[in-house]
Amino acid sequence: MKKIFVLAAVAALTITGSAFAQDATPPGEKPVDAYKQSNANAGATPMTDTKVFEAFHGKEGIDRIVETMVERNFADPRIKDFFAATDKVRLKRTLKEQFCYILGGGCEYTGRDMKASHKDQGTTNRDMNALIENLQFAMDQEKVPFAAQNKLLAKLAPQQKDIVER
């Protein structure tokens, strides 16, 4: 009986393509409305140059960068109000997935697309710039070379049109 349950669980994971089915909420996160999960939601195609991913010190480096950036965003007087009602656990998880996916680290992105994620927030270019400053600070803390930082920022820059609303 145990073997059948394990096989059923493996089949379910294979079918959904994710450890978290649409109707399941990952541990520590708040439930969200259903949406179509797709790597296309990451807003950019993955890099093929593995040296950039290595410059970010792999998944562990990305984790540290996201942790630093998110904590700074939640504390930054310029933008903290945007994050007041945000599920910090989910935000960190999906940003780590997004950066890892875009940097060619072999991760899958399970978050929503940028337009849906930022809908009706009233984000301005000034707000976006503050967030980017916090990201650059975090990348500097991780000692990511400037050229590698710019490659990630170049991949993220086109998303501004889907995030900034005013």
Side-chain angles (χ1 to χ4, degrees), residues 6-19 21:
V6 171
L7 288 174
V10 170
L13 285 174
T14 304
I15 291 167
T16 63
S18 168

Side-chain angles (χ1 to χ4, degrees), residues 59-77:
K59 290 179 184 176
E60 294 80 11
I62 292 168
D63 287 353
R64 289 187 293 270
I65 289 166
V66 168
E67 291 288 332
T68 299
M69 179 187 82
V70 168
E71 292 304 326
R72 288 180 65 87
N73 289 341
F74 272 75
D76 190 327

Side-chain angles (χ1 to χ4, degrees), residues 50-127:
T50 58
K51 290 181 180 168
V52 180
F53 180 71
E54 292 166 10
F56 276 78
H57 309 121
K59 290 179 184 176
E60 294 80 11
I62 292 168
D63 287 353
R64 289 187 293 270
I65 289 166
V66 168
E67 291 288 332
T68 299
M69 179 187 82
V70 168
E71 292 304 326
R72 288 180 65 87
N73 289 341
F74 272 75
D76 190 327
R78 300 172 295 175
I79 57 175
K80 70 180 182 180
D81 291 343
F82 285 105
F83 296 97
T86 301
D87 181 346
K88 191 187 287 191
V89 174
R90 178 178 172 77
L91 177 63
K92 286 180 179 181
R93 179 181 60 79
T94 57
L95 279 174
K96 289 172 184 179
E97 290 174 357
Q98 183 187 35
F99 290 0
C100 181
Y101 174 76
I102 291 171
L103 290 167
C107 300
E108 297 293 318
Y109 178 67
T110 65
R112 289 178 279 181
D113 67 86
M114 295 304 102
K115 194 168 204 88
S117 295
H118 299 87
K119 187 178 190 294
D120 298 328
Q121 289 185 333
T123 308
T124 66
N125 281 319
R126 179 182 286 176
D127 303 323

